[in-house]
Amino acid sequence: MRIDDPRVASALTELGVEVQPGASLAEKTSLGIGGTTDLLRITRHETIPDLLNRLERYGIAHKFLGGGSNLLVADGELPFVVLQLAQPEPDVVIQGNFAIVDAAADLGRMVTLCAKHNLGGLEGLIGVPGTVGGALRMNAGAYGTQVGSYVREVKVYREATRSLETLRGEQICFEYRHTSFAPDDMMLAVKLELPSRPYQEILQGIRLCNEKRRASQPLGQKSAGCIFKNPPGGSTGRMIDQLGLKGHSFGDARVSDRHANFFVNAGKASAADMLELMADVRGRIQQAYGVTLENEVVVWNA
Ligand code: EPU
């Protein structure tokens, strides 16, 4: 979707929004898949309610983009614009055992920066790609760590009230790869409370998680991490593997040879290829195990 109305363009400039016309979302997502649209980068949180009111008034649909690491975007010209937070400087502020982090901050960088201040607990998240905002929304987790365990406050834009709100940790429900945030809530910043630990000890934990991840996941390839959630008590990767589906493909969308719940873009995969592969594998799992797989990846259909 292109913003070609000069009234809208000047309103966006007034609000400090930077417009990247015709941005390719394939370049903004770790899967390397996705069509084109105008990308609007927000430089000041306070302008968000005004911005969204104006977009609505002009009939411009929108979606929020985080780090693009858990996202499958449709092909072609997209029927919505994409909003993304610009990264402030600094994006992480440490106060005692608290880390106050902007949602646009890179998750891995935040983990290492906290470690340097002797704040641990987040070691398992090292190597999880994406932004802190995306990790919060999905309650990202790995190797026994879930980001939700450390959340004390979240600053959010709520579409329901059309205002910026600060929620306390206990007002938010964090479950396996799920939170009580509404789909149109936009994460803006978070306050984490982290346990004090010596830097060297945290570093040791980080190294261990990095090694485990390198040994079991296709890190050098374009993917969105695990494509499906695990069913309660089960392992999606193991089930897909047991059906002999490693290497199974539609076009350049392929089940990873290393971890069967990672679907990789091995070249020029389209969203249609990836969706076909997902539907096919989901059907086979349903038939073989009677289990209905739920997407972990977020899908933006056109
Ligand atoms: N397995 C296989 N074949 C495979 C993949 C896995 O047999 O191709 C087996 C493993 O040997 C193991 C079991 O399945 O016995 C579980 O595998 P793994 O330890 O890799 O964990 P997972 O449940 O597949 C989850 C998260 C990952 C996270 C790892 C490590 C989900 C959907 N996935 O994977 O998160 O990195 O644990 O904590 O919860 C992600 O969210 O994108 C993601 C990659």
Side-chain angles (χ1 to χ4, degrees), residues 35-221:
T36 51
T37 189
D38 284 356
L39 178 76
L40 278 47
R41 287 172 50 85
I42 298 165
T43 55
R44 298 196 303 272
H45 292 168
E46 319 79 68
T47 62
I48 295 173
D50 203 2
L51 169 65
L52 294 185
N53 280 333
R54 292 191 198 207
L55 291 180
E56 190 183 30
R57 203 173 324 136
Y58 292 117
I60 298 171
H62 68 271
K63 289 192 186 289
F64 298 124
L65 176 68
S69 60
N70 191 37
L71 185 62
L72 172 57
V73 183
D75 306 309
E77 183 67 29
L78 302 165
F80 46 79
V81 297
V82 166
L83 311 182
Q84 193 176 35
L85 297 175
Q87 217 172 325
E89 191 52 57
D91 53 5
V92 183
V93 174
I94 306 288
Q95 289 175 355
N97 280 74
F98 295 104
I100 295 125
V101 191
D102 192 273
D106 178 78
L107 181 65
R109 215 182 67 79
M110 187 266 286
V111 173
T112 42
L113 197 135
C114 289
K116 283 180 190 153
H117 286 82
N118 303 305
L119 295 178
L122 301 171
E123 295 84 325
L125 294 175
I126 203 73
V128 174
T131 59
V132 170
L136 252 184
R137 156 162 295 290
M138 289 291 292
N139 190 20
Y143 306 114
T145 303
Q146 295 198 9
V147 70
S149 321
Y150 301 101
V151 171
R152 295 298 168 260
E153 263 176 30
V154 178
K155 184 178 165 198
V156 64
Y157 167 78
R158 309 212 92 169
E159 190 88 343
T161 57
R162 302 221 153 184
S163 59
L164 305 185
E165 289 181 24
T166 299
L167 305 176
R168 290 190 315 279
E170 58 272 22
Q171 292 175 280
I172 309 159
C173 183
F174 290 100
E175 292 166 352
Y176 167 67
R177 299 295 195 273
H178 183 264
T179 59
S180 53
F181 293 114
D184 48 13
D185 282 348
M186 186 181 193
M187 310 293 113
L188 301 177
V190 62
K191 183 176 188 180
L192 302 170
E193 185 175 7
L194 301 168
S196 300
R197 274 192 207 140
Y199 178 52
Q200 284 308 326
E201 204 177 286
I202 304 172
L203 210 56
Q204 194 82 16
I206 285 178
R207 284 206 188 107
L208 205 68
C209 291
N210 266 334
E211 273 166 34
K212 281 198 224 166
R213 199 177 284 281
R214 258 199 300 274
S216 63
Q217 301 182 357
L219 299 189
Q221 286 182 281

Side-chain angles (χ1 to χ4, degrees), residues 190-269:
V190 62
K191 183 176 188 180
L192 302 170
E193 185 175 7
L194 301 168
S196 300
R197 274 192 207 140
Y199 178 52
Q200 284 308 326
E201 204 177 286
I202 304 172
L203 210 56
Q204 194 82 16
I206 285 178
R207 284 206 188 107
L208 205 68
C209 291
N210 266 334
E211 273 166 34
K212 281 198 224 166
R213 199 177 284 281
R214 258 199 300 274
S216 63
Q217 301 182 357
L219 299 189
Q221 286 182 281
K222 290 181 186 168
S223 84
C226 285
I227 205 97
F228 298 114
K229 295 183 185 180
N230 284 333
S235 161
T236 302
R238 186 186 295 134
M239 287 192 291
I240 300 175
D241 193 359
Q242 279 172 349
L243 293 186
L245 293 173
K246 282 184 168 169
H248 185 49
S249 63
F250 278 81
D252 278 337
R254 181 168 305 161
V255 178
S256 158
D257 292 321
R258 180 159 284 205
H259 193 301
N261 196 15
F262 279 64
F263 290 13
V264 300
N265 172 4
K268 289 189 161 64

